[in-house]
Coordinates of all heavy atoms in Angstrom, one line a residue:
V209 N 109.6 104.6 92.6 CA 108.8 105.8 92.6 C 108.8 106.4 91.2 O 107.8 106.8 90.7 CB 109.3 106.9 93.6 CG1 108.6 108.2 93.5 CG2 109.1 106.4 95.0
F210 N 109.9 106.4 90.5 CA 110.0 107.0 89.2 C 109.1 106.2 88.2 O 108.4 106.8 87.4 CB 111.4 107.1 88.7 CG 111.5 107.8 87.4 CD1 111.5 109.2 87.4 CD2 111.6 107.1 86.2 CE1 111.5 109.9 86.2 CE2 111.6 107.8 85.0 CZ 111.6 109.2 85.0
D211 N 109.2 104.9 88.3 CA 108.5 104.0 87.3 C 106.9 104.2 87.5 O 106.2 104.2 86.5 CB 108.8 102.6 87.6 CG 110.2 102.2 87.1 OD1 110.8 103.0 86.4 OD2 110.7 101.1 87.5
V212 N 106.5 104.4 88.7 CA 105.0 104.6 88.9 C 104.6 106.0 88.8 O 103.6 106.3 88.1 CB 104.6 104.1 90.3 CG1 103.2 104.3 90.6 CG2 105.0 102.6 90.4
L213 N 105.3 107.0 89.4 CA 104.8 108.3 89.4 C 105.5 109.3 88.5 O 105.1 110.4 88.2 CB 105.0 108.9 90.8 CG 104.2 108.2 91.9 CD1 104.5 108.8 93.3 CD2 102.7 108.3 91.7
G214 N 106.7 108.8 88.0 CA 107.5 109.7 87.1 C 108.2 110.8 87.8 O 108.6 111.8 87.2
V215 N 108.5 110.6 89.1 CA 109.2 111.6 89.9 C 110.3 110.8 90.7 O 110.2 109.6 90.9 CB 108.3 112.3 90.9 CG1 107.3 113.2 90.2 CG2 107.6 111.4 91.8
R216 N 111.3 111.6 91.0 CA 112.4 111.0 91.8 C 112.0 110.9 93.2 O 111.2 111.7 93.7 CB 113.7 111.9 91.7 CG 114.2 112.0 90.3 CD 115.3 113.0 90.1 NE 114.8 114.3 90.7 CZ 115.7 115.3 91.1 NH1 116.9 115.2 90.9 NH2 115.2 116.4 91.6
P217 N 112.5 109.9 94.0 CA 112.2 109.8 95.4 C 112.4 111.1 96.2 O 111.5 111.5 97.0 CB 113.1 108.7 95.9 CG 113.4 107.9 94.7 CD 113.4 108.9 93.6
Q218 N 113.5 111.8 95.9 CA 113.7 113.0 96.7 C 112.7 114.1 96.4 O 112.6 115.1 97.1 CB 115.2 113.5 96.5 CG 115.5 113.8 95.0 CD 116.2 112.6 94.3 OE1 115.8 111.5 94.5 NE2 117.1 112.9 93.4
D219 N 112.0 114.0 95.3 CA 110.9 115.0 95.0 C 109.6 114.8 95.7 O 108.8 115.6 95.7 CB 110.7 115.0 93.5 CG 111.9 115.5 92.7 OD1 112.7 116.2 93.2 OD2 112.0 115.1 91.5
V220 N 109.5 113.6 96.3 CA 108.2 113.3 97.1 C 108.4 113.2 98.6 O 107.4 113.3 99.3 CB 107.5 112.1 96.5 CG1 107.1 112.3 95.1 CG2 108.4 110.8 96.6
V221 N 109.6 113.0 99.0 CA 109.8 112.9 100.5 C 109.4 114.2 101.2 O 109.8 115.3 100.7 CB 111.3 112.6 100.8 CG1 111.6 112.7 102.3 CG2 111.7 111.2 100.2
G222 N 108.6 114.1 102.2 CA 108.1 115.2 103.0 C 106.9 115.9 102.4 O 106.4 116.8 103.0
R223 N 106.4 115.5 101.2 CA 105.2 116.1 100.7 C 104.0 115.4 101.2 O 104.0 114.2 101.6 CB 105.2 115.9 99.1 CG 106.2 116.8 98.5 CD 106.3 116.6 97.0 NE 105.0 116.8 96.3 CZ 104.7 116.5 95.1 NH1 105.7 116.1 94.3 NH2 103.5 116.7 94.5
D224 N 102.9 116.1 101.2 CA 101.6 115.6 101.6 C 101.2 114.6 100.5 O 101.2 114.9 99.3 CB 100.6 116.7 101.7 CG 99.2 116.2 102.2 OD1 98.8 115.0 101.9 OD2 98.5 117.0 102.8
A225 N 100.9 113.4 100.9 CA 100.6 112.3 99.9 C 99.4 112.7 99.0 O 99.3 112.2 97.9 CB 100.3 111.0 100.6
T226 N 98.5 113.5 99.5 CA 97.3 113.9 98.7 C 97.7 114.7 97.5 O 97.0 114.8 96.5 CB 96.2 114.6 99.5 OG1 96.8 115.8 100.0 CG2 95.7 113.7 100.6
E227 N 98.9 115.3 97.5 CA 99.4 116.1 96.3 C 99.6 115.1 95.1 O 99.6 115.6 94.0 CB 100.6 116.8 96.6 CG 100.5 117.9 97.7 CD 101.8 118.5 98.0 OE1 102.8 118.5 97.2 OE2 101.9 119.0 99.1
L228 N 99.8 113.9 95.4 CA 100.1 112.9 94.3 C 98.9 112.3 93.7 O 98.9 111.6 92.7 CB 101.0 111.8 94.9 CG 102.4 112.3 95.5 CD1 103.1 111.2 96.2 CD2 103.2 113.0 94.4
L229 N 97.7 112.4 94.4 CA 96.5 111.8 94.0 C 95.9 112.5 92.8 O 96.0 113.7 92.7 CB 95.5 111.7 95.1 CG 95.9 110.9 96.3 CD1 94.8 111.0 97.4 CD2 96.1 109.4 95.9
H230 N 95.1 111.7 92.0 CA 94.3 112.3 91.0 C 93.2 113.1 91.7 O 92.8 112.8 92.8 CB 93.6 111.1 90.3 CG 92.8 111.5 89.1 ND1 91.5 112.0 89.3 CD2 93.0 111.6 87.8 CE1 91.0 112.2 88.1 NE2 91.9 112.0 87.2
S231 N 92.8 114.3 91.1 CA 91.9 115.2 91.8 C 90.6 114.6 92.3 O 90.1 115.0 93.3 CB 91.7 116.4 90.9 OG 91.0 116.0 89.7
E232 N 90.1 113.6 91.6 CA 88.9 113.0 92.0 C 89.0 112.0 93.1 O 88.0 111.5 93.7 CB 88.2 112.3 90.8 CG 87.8 113.3 89.7 CD 87.3 112.6 88.5 OE1 87.0 111.3 88.5 OE2 87.2 113.2 87.4
E233 N 90.3 111.7 93.5 CA 90.5 110.7 94.6 C 90.7 111.3 95.9 O 90.6 110.6 96.9 CB 91.8 109.8 94.2 CG 91.6 109.1 93.0 CD 90.6 108.0 93.0 OE1 90.4 107.4 94.0 OE2 90.0 107.8 91.9
V234 N 91.0 112.6 96.0 CA 91.3 113.3 97.2 C 90.2 113.1 98.3 O 90.5 112.9 99.5 CB 91.7 114.8 97.0 CG1 91.9 115.5 98.3 CG2 92.9 114.9 96.1
T235 N 89.0 113.1 97.9 CA 87.8 113.0 98.8 C 87.7 111.6 99.4 O 87.0 111.4 100.4 CB 86.5 113.4 98.1 OG1 86.3 112.5 97.0 CG2 86.5 114.8 97.7
K236 N 88.4 110.6 98.8 CA 88.3 109.3 99.3 C 89.3 109.0 100.5 O 89.3 107.9 101.1 CB 88.6 108.3 98.2 CG 87.5 108.3 97.1 CD 87.8 107.3 96.0 CE 86.8 107.4 94.9 NZ 87.2 106.5 93.8
V237 N 90.2 109.9 100.7 CA 91.2 109.7 101.8 C 90.6 110.0 103.1 O 89.9 111.0 103.3 CB 92.4 110.7 101.5 CG1 93.4 110.6 102.6 CG2 93.0 110.4 100.2
P238 N 90.8 109.1 104.1 CA 90.2 109.3 105.4 C 90.7 110.6 106.0 O 91.8 111.1 105.8 CB 90.7 108.1 106.2 CG 91.1 107.1 105.2 CD 91.6 107.9 104.0
A239 N 89.8 111.2 106.8 CA 90.2 112.5 107.5 C 91.3 112.3 108.5 O 91.4 111.2 109.0 CB 88.9 113.0 108.2
A240 N 92.0 113.4 108.7 CA 93.1 113.3 109.7 C 92.5 112.9 111.1 O 91.4 113.3 111.4 CB 93.8 114.7 109.8
G241 N 93.2 112.1 111.8 CA 92.7 111.7 113.1 C 91.9 110.4 113.1 O 91.5 109.9 114.1
T242 N 91.6 109.9 111.9 CA 90.9 108.7 111.8 C 91.8 107.5 112.1 O 92.8 107.3 111.5 CB 90.4 108.5 110.3 OG1 89.6 109.6 109.9 CG2 89.6 107.2 110.2
A243 N 91.5 106.9 113.2 CA 92.4 105.8 113.8 C 92.0 104.4 113.4 O 91.4 103.7 114.2 CB 92.5 106.0 115.3
R244 N 92.1 104.1 112.1 CA 91.8 102.8 111.7 C 92.6 102.4 110.5 O 93.0 103.3 109.7 CB 90.3 102.6 111.4 CG 89.8 103.5 110.3 CD 88.3 103.4 110.2 NE 87.8 104.4 109.3 CZ 87.4 104.1 108.0 NH1 87.4 102.9 107.6 NH2 87.0 105.1 107.2
A245 N 92.7 101.1 110.2 CA 93.4 100.7 109.0 C 92.4 100.6 107.9 O 91.3 100.2 108.0 CB 94.0 99.3 109.2
V246 N 92.8 101.1 106.7 CA 92.0 101.1 105.5 C 92.8 100.6 104.3 O 94.0 100.8 104.3 CB 91.3 102.5 105.2 CG1 90.4 102.9 106.3 CG2 92.4 103.5 105.0
E247 N 92.1 100.1 103.4 CA 92.7 99.7 102.1 C 91.8 100.3 101.0 O 90.6 100.1 101.0 CB 92.8 98.2 102.0 CG 93.5 97.8 100.7 CD 93.8 96.3 100.6 OE1 94.4 95.8 101.6 OE2 93.5 95.7 99.6
R248 N 92.5 101.0 100.1 CA 91.7 101.6 99.0 C 92.4 101.5 97.7 O 93.7 101.3 97.6 CB 91.6 103.1 99.3 CG 90.9 103.5 100.5 CD 90.1 104.8 100.3 NE 89.5 105.4 101.4 CZ 88.6 104.9 102.3 NH1 88.3 103.6 102.2 NH2 88.1 105.5 103.2
L249 N 91.7 101.5 96.6 CA 92.3 101.6 95.3 C 92.1 103.0 94.8 O 91.0 103.6 94.7 CB 91.5 100.6 94.3 CG 92.0 100.4 93.0 CD1 93.4 99.8 93.0 CD2 91.1 99.5 92.2
L250 N 93.3 103.7 94.6 CA 93.3 105.1 94.3 C 94.1 105.4 93.0 O 95.0 104.7 92.7 CB 93.9 105.9 95.4 CG 93.2 105.9 96.8 CD1 94.1 106.5 97.8 CD2 91.9 106.5 96.7
R251 N 93.7 106.4 92.3 CA 94.4 106.9 91.1 C 95.4 107.9 91.6 O 95.1 108.8 92.4 CB 93.5 107.5 90.1 CG 92.6 106.6 89.4 CD 91.6 107.3 88.5 NE 90.6 107.9 89.4 CZ 89.6 108.6 89.0 NH1 89.4 108.8 87.7 NH2 88.7 109.1 89.9
V252 N 96.6 107.9 91.0 CA 97.6 108.9 91.2 C 97.9 109.4 89.8 O 97.8 108.8 88.8 CB 98.9 108.4 91.8 CG1 98.7 108.0 93.2 CG2 99.5 107.2 91.0
T253 N 98.3 110.7 89.7 CA 98.6 111.4 88.5 C 100.1 111.4 88.4 O 100.8 112.0 89.2 CB 98.0 112.8 88.4 OG1 96.6 112.6 88.6 CG2 98.3 113.4 87.1
R254 N 100.7 110.9 87.3 CA 102.1 111.0 87.0 C 102.5 112.4 86.6 O 101.7 113.2 86.2 CB 102.5 110.0 85.9 CG 102.4 108.5 86.3 CD 102.7 107.6 85.1 NE 103.9 108.1 84.3 CZ 105.1 107.7 84.6 NH1 105.4 106.9 85.6 NH2 106.1 108.1 83.8
R255 N 103.8 112.7 86.7 CA 104.3 114.0 86.3 C 104.0 114.3 84.8 O 103.7 115.4 84.5 CB 105.8 114.1 86.5 CG 106.4 115.4 86.1 CD 107.8 115.6 86.5 NE 107.7 116.0 87.9 CZ 108.7 116.2 88.7 NH1 109.9 116.0 88.2 NH2 108.6 116.5 89.9
D256 N 104.0 113.2 84.0 CA 103.7 113.4 82.6 C 102.2 113.5 82.2 O 101.8 113.5 81.1 CB 104.4 112.3 81.7 CG 103.8 110.9 82.0 OD1 102.8 110.8 82.7 OD2 104.4 109.9 81.5
G257 N 101.3 113.5 83.3 CA 99.9 113.6 83.1 C 99.2 112.2 83.0 O 98.0 112.2 83.1
G258 N 99.9 111.2 82.9 CA 99.3 109.8 82.9 C 98.7 109.5 84.2 O 99.0 110.1 85.3
V259 N 97.9 108.5 84.3 CA 97.2 108.1 85.5 C 97.6 106.6 85.8 O 97.6 105.8 84.9 CB 95.7 108.2 85.4 CG1 95.0 107.7 86.6 CG2 95.3 109.7 85.2
R260 N 97.8 106.3 87.0 CA 98.1 104.9 87.5 C 97.2 104.6 88.6 O 96.8 105.5 89.4 CB 99.5 104.8 88.0 CG 100.6 105.0 87.0 CD 100.9 103.7 86.3 NE 102.2 103.7 85.6 CZ 102.3 103.9 84.3 NH1 101.3 104.1 83.6 NH2 103.5 103.9 83.8
W261 N 96.7 103.4 88.7 CA 95.9 102.9 89.8 C 96.8 102.2 90.8 O 97.7 101.4 90.5 CB 94.9 101.9 89.4 CG 93.7 102.6 88.6 CD1 93.6 102.7 87.3 CD2 92.5 103.1 89.2 NE1 92.5 103.4 87.0 CE2 91.8 103.6 88.1 CE3 92.1 103.2 90.5 CZ2 90.5 104.2 88.4 CZ3 90.8 103.8 90.7 CH2 90.1 104.3 89.6
L262 N 96.7 102.6 92.1 CA 97.5 102.0 93.2 C 96.6 101.4 94.3 O 95.6 102.1 94.6 CB 98.4 103.0 93.8 CG 99.5 103.6 93.0 CD1 100.3 104.6 93.8 CD2 100.4 102.6 92.4
R263 N 96.9 100.3 94.8 CA 96.2 99.8 96.0 C 97.0 100.3 97.2 O 98.2 100.0 97.3 CB 96.1 98.3 96.0 CG 95.4 97.7 97.2 CD 95.1 96.2 97.2 NE 94.6 95.8 95.9 CZ 93.2 95.8 95.6 NH1 92.4 96.3 96.5 NH2 92.8 95.4 94.5
V264 N 96.4 101.1 98.0 CA 97.1 101.7 99.2 C 96.5 101.2 100.5 O 95.2 101.2 100.7 CB 96.9 103.2 99.1 CG1 97.6 103.9 100.3 CG2 97.5 103.7 97.8
R265 N 97.3 100.7 101.3 CA 96.9 100.2 102.7 C 97.5 101.2 103.7 O 98.7 101.4 103.7 CB 97.4 98.8 102.9 CG 96.9 98.3 104.3 CD 97.4 96.8 104.5 NE 96.8 96.0 103.5 CZ 97.5 95.0 102.8 NH1 98.7 94.8 103.1 NH2 96.9 94.3 101.9
T266 N 96.6 101.8 104.4 CA 97.1 102.8 105.4 C 96.7 102.4 106.8 O 95.6 101.9 107.0 CB 96.4 104.2 105.1 OG1 96.6 104.6 103.8 CG2 96.9 105.3 106.0
S267 N 97.7 102.5 107.7 CA 97.4 102.2 109.1 C 98.0 103.3 109.9 O 98.9 104.0 109.5 CB 98.0 100.8 109.4 OG 99.4 100.8 109.2
V268 N 97.5 103.4 111.1 CA 97.9 104.5 112.0 C 99.0 104.0 112.9 O 98.9 102.9 113.5 CB 96.7 105.0 112.8 CG1 97.2 106.1 113.8 CG2 95.7 105.5 111.9
V269 N 100.1 104.7 113.0 CA 101.2 104.5 113.9 C 101.3 105.7 114.8 O 101.3 106.8 114.4 CB 102.5 104.3 113.1 CG1 103.7 104.1 114.0 CG2 102.4 103.1 112.2
V270 N 101.5 105.4 116.1 CA 101.6 106.5 117.1 C 103.0 106.8 117.4 O 103.8 106.0 117.8 CB 100.8 106.2 118.4 CG1 101.0 107.3 119.4 CG2 99.4 105.9 118.0
D271 N 103.4 108.0 117.1 CA 104.8 108.5 117.4 C 104.7 109.1 118.8 O 103.8 109.9 119.1 CB 105.2 109.6 116.4 CG 106.6 110.1 116.6 OD1 106.7 110.9 117.6 OD2 107.5 109.8 115.9
P272 N 105.6 108.7 119.7 CA 105.6 109.2 121.1 C 105.7 110.7 121.2 O 105.2 111.3 122.2 CB 106.7 108.5 121.8 CG 107.6 107.9 120.7 CD 106.8 107.8 119.5
V273 N 106.3 111.4 120.2 CA 106.5 112.8 120.3 C 105.4 113.6 119.5 O 104.8 114.5 120.0 CB 107.9 113.2 119.8 CG1 108.0 114.7 119.7 CG2 109.0 112.6 120.7
Q274 N 105.2 113.1 118.3 CA 104.2 113.8 117.4 C 102.8 113.3 117.4 O 101.9 113.9 116.8 CB 104.8 113.7 115.9 CG 106.1 114.4 115.8 CD 106.6 114.3 114.4 OE1 106.1 113.7 113.5 NE2 107.8 115.0 114.1
G275 N 102.6 112.2 118.1 CA 101.2 111.7 118.2 C 100.9 110.8 117.0 O 101.8 110.2 116.4
P276 N 99.6 110.6 116.7 CA 99.2 109.7 115.6 C 99.8 110.2 114.2 O 99.7 111.3 113.9 CB 97.7 109.8 115.6 CG 97.3 110.3 116.9 CD 98.5 111.2 117.3
R277 N 100.3 109.2 113.5 CA 100.8 109.5 112.2 C 100.2 108.4 111.2 O 100.2 107.2 111.5 CB 102.3 109.4 112.1 CG 103.0 110.2 113.2 CD 103.1 111.6 112.9 NE 104.1 111.7 111.7 CZ 104.3 112.8 111.1 NH1 103.7 113.9 111.5 NH2 105.1 112.9 110.1
A278 N 99.7 108.8 110.0 CA 99.3 107.8 109.1 C 100.4 107.4 108.2 O 101.2 108.2 107.7 CB 98.2 108.4 108.2
V279 N 100.6 106.1 108.0 CA 101.7 105.5 107.2 C 101.1 104.6 106.2 O 100.3 103.7 106.5 CB 102.7 104.7 108.1 CG1 103.8 104.1 107.3 CG2 103.2 105.6 109.2
S280 N 101.4 104.9 104.9 CA 100.9 104.1 103.8 C 102.0 103.0 103.5 O 103.1 103.3 103.4 CB 100.6 104.9 102.6 OG 99.6 105.8 102.8
T281 N 101.5 101.8 103.2 CA 102.4 100.8 102.8 C 101.9 100.1 101.6 O 100.8 100.2 101.2 CB 102.6 99.7 103.9 OG1 101.3 99.2 104.3 CG2 103.2 100.3 105.2

């Protein structure tokens, strides 16, 4: 996490993943409740202001208590 984003793992755990995206990429993220697997090439903004491109594959996993959850791998 530090090499790519410039942040420690404990600084991103529990945060909304869209907070890490470049501002122009946020609109490319599927809406909540979209139940399909997608693969996208997205920019993230590093803590130092630099930009990195990441290939993100997102699939939906259903938690028996919390319902549908999006998980990026």
Side-chain angles (χ1 to χ4, degrees):
V209 172
F210 186 81
D211 290 342
V212 175
L213 299 175
V215 295
R216 301 173 306 166
Q218 59 266 35
D219 294 334
V220 295
V221 171
R223 288 178 56 189
D224 185 330
T226 59
E227 294 176 26
L228 304 171
L229 295 177
H230 185 278
S231 60
E232 295 176 14
E233 299 296 324
V234 175
T235 59
K236 296 179 182 178
V237 176
T242 303
R244 61 187 174 103
V246 294
E247 183 171 312
R248 299 215 188 303
L249 188 60
L250 299 171
R251 288 173 286 180
V252 293
T253 304
R254 291 178 43 89
R255 178 170 280 177
D256 64 9
V259 174
R260 296 274 199 257
W261 286 92
L262 298 178
R263 182 173 308 280
V264 179
R265 182 177 299 137
T266 305
S267 57
V268 177
V269 175
V270 178
D271 180 288
V273 175
Q274 297 179 355
R277 308 280 292 174
V279 178
S280 297
T281 56

